Amino acid sequence: MHLARYPRHFMAHLPTPLERMDRLTAELGGPEIWIKRDDCTGLSTGGNKTRKLEFLMAEAQLEGADMVMTQGATQSNHARQTAAFAAKLGMQCHILLEDRTHSNNDNYNHNGNVILDHLHGATTEKYSDGLDMNAEMEKVAETYRAKGKKVYTIPGGGSNPTGALGYVNCAFEMMGQFNDRALKIDHIVHATGSAGTQAGLVVGLKAMNANIPLLGIGVRAPKAKQEENVYNLAVKTAEKIGCPGVVQREDVVANTDYVGEGYGIPTESGLEAISMFAELEAILLDPVYSAKGAAGFIDLIRKGHFKKGERVVFLHTGGSVALFGYNAAFDFSNRWVS
Ligand SMILES: *Cc1c(COP(=O)(O)O)cnc(C)c1O
């Protein structure tokens, strides 16, 4: 397997740091906790989509695209990173934003990721939820093509075999960091949504025969559906990189007990995770993805699923700019002392 065989436009600040979280470790009294800082990939406040976009946007350029199009929820981090990447490459960017939360909150609809989409020059249009958004996007792309634009469409979350290469690469990068620092790692945990992150990681880890269990904490779909989505994409990604069959169905594990009411709706345990990471480690999570991932991670430590004597890594997938779209989820009136 040789990733240099695939077109790539280098953009992310890599390698991202791997850091020990001493105060969170002490607070929970369980395993030694480390964090892989993919919130620090550098592009317009960072996040996991930048690794995928390095491969996707290179493919767009190779195909001669002058416009990229993608879709996501209103506060999509993927949309924002795509808009930023397109700006850097001088491409037009159009985004379909799906109203998955039905929020009327002004910050949710205009601040956070949305203001950054627009600052980077992207155009947006709003869709009600429940549609096949990738199909809707193809329809819109056809209208631009009819006007002479060369449109490259990117599926939601950048999750196809090309995008997943970014996380095959992240698996290699992490393994290098573990080995160089003599860190024996027992588990890797992260938030999983459109599946590209987990699919790429599981392919990379299995292809290296790392023997490190990977756990995705779901933010939307039920367990069976989430695992099926990840597995199907992992199979295609493994074929793409010339390692067909390297991932078994049982290598794909998702825990979807921390979704709460639904995608993009903050949970109590997620808000607790945001506070803990912010106050103990000065790390910013987001309410939609990384907080729910961290909530599951913390709960599984408290329940003894990850134990003292083990060393675990939480992969921080980014998203903190969404906090500014979700300020209504927090009550800080008691922080004003006068
Ligand atoms: C997209 C996203 C995820 C989920 O990654 P997938 O590859 O879509 O599964 C996790 N965290 C954040 C902050 C994201 O933006």
Side-chain angles (χ1 to χ4, degrees):
M1 183 188 342
H2 192 15
L3 283 175
R5 295 206 173 97
Y6 304 92
R8 178 170 174 194
H9 188 99
F10 287 85
M11 179 71 67
H13 298 177
L14 302 181
T16 57
L18 176 72
E19 299 167 340
R20 205 168 65 195
M21 298 205 286
D22 290 328
R23 275 171 41 84
L24 188 66
T25 298
E27 173 74 20
L28 293 171
E32 185 180 294
I33 305 171
W34 288 69
I35 187 165
K36 172 67 170 166
R37 300 292 304 273
D38 271 16
D39 56 322
C40 300
T41 53
L43 180 64
S44 185
T45 75
N48 63 338
K49 303 312 181 303
T50 303
R51 287 188 189 268
K52 303 180 188 182
L53 288 164
E54 286 194 339
F55 291 92
L56 291 161
M57 295 298 272
E59 208 171 83
Q61 273 191 314
L62 211 66
E63 291 180 11
D66 53 15
M67 180 175 192
V68 292
M69 197 176 288
T70 196
Q71 57 92 0
T74 305
Q75 282 293 334
S76 167
N77 302 298
H78 165 66
R80 178 250 310 162
Q81 288 163 81
T82 304
F85 216 130
K88 181 71 178 170
L89 299 188
M91 288 184 193
Q92 205 179 325
C93 179
H94 183 66
I95 304 164
L96 281 64
L97 293 178
E98 182 186 10
D99 181 17
R100 290 188 201 160
T101 65
H102 310 134
S103 169
N104 295 318
N105 182 280
D106 194 51
N107 281 328
Y108 180 81
N109 285 295
H110 300 288
N111 206 333
N113 282 292
V114 182
I115 192 173
L116 298 189
D117 295 341
H118 295 152
L119 272 174
H120 292 302
T123 51
T124 53
E125 60 182 310
K126 197 166 170 169
Y127 278 72
S128 56
D129 62 342
L131 296 164
D132 177 344
M133 287 297 290
N134 284 333
E136 294 300 316
M137 174 171 68
E138 291 305 329
K139 284 190 225 163
V140 178
E142 283 308 318
T143 68
Y144 280 91
R145 287 179 187 127
K147 290 183 242 166
K149 297 300 289 183
K150 291 192 168 162
V151 186
Y152 180 86
T153 56
I154 300 174
S159 287
N160 61 16
T162 300
L165 293 178
Y167 272 87
V168 174
N169 187 45
C170 180
F172 295 163
E173 183 181 301
M174 279 197 284
M175 194 56 62
Q177 289 174 316
F178 302 160
N179 291 340
D180 289 349
R181 293 156 78 172
L183 292 170
K184 191 172 92 54
I185 301 300
D186 297 295
H187 297 275
I188 300 171
V189 180
H190 67 96
T192 181
S194 68
T197 300
Q198 189 168 3
L201 288 174
V202 76
V203 169
L205 291 169
K206 288 294 291 187
M208 286 183 288
N209 199 17
N211 210 7
I212 301 175
L214 178 70
L215 175 64
I217 308 280
V219 300
R220 190 179 188 190
K223 179 179 169 74
K225 181 75 195 153
Q226 186 64 24
E227 290 184 346
E228 181 190 322
N229 290 347
V230 173
Y231 178 67
N232 290 340
L233 180 53
V235 166
K236 287 189 206 144
T237 306
E239 279 167 10
K240 184 179 176 88
I241 61 169
C243 303
V246 79
V247 175
Q248 309 300 306
R249 176 62 185 80
E250 61 267 25
D251 298 325
V252 175
V253 184
N255 180 327
T256 59
D257 294 344
Y258 304 92
V259 176
E261 276 178 60
Y263 176 89
I265 314 281
T267 56
E268 277 306 315
S269 62
L271 295 174
E272 185 205 13
I274 290 176
S275 297
M276 288 177 76
F277 274 63
E279 293 179 21
L280 295 169
E281 296 292 341
I283 285 172
L284 299 174
L285 302 177
D286 79 284
V288 182
Y289 293 97
S290 54
K292 289 183 181 176
F297 181 62
I298 290 166
D299 190 50
L300 292 170
I301 290 171
R302 286 177 174 153
K303 287 178 171 159
H305 183 78
F306 305 125
K307 301 175 201 57
K308 216 175 179 67
E310 292 185 323
R311 187 180 283 127
V312 295
V313 174
F314 180 73
L315 170 66
H316 189 344
T317 41
S320 64
V321 81
L323 287 169
F324 304 106
Y326 277 93
N327 67 307
F330 302 91
D331 177 9
F332 290 132
S333 49
N334 66 345
R335 293 286 209 281
W336 289 97
V337 296
S338 68

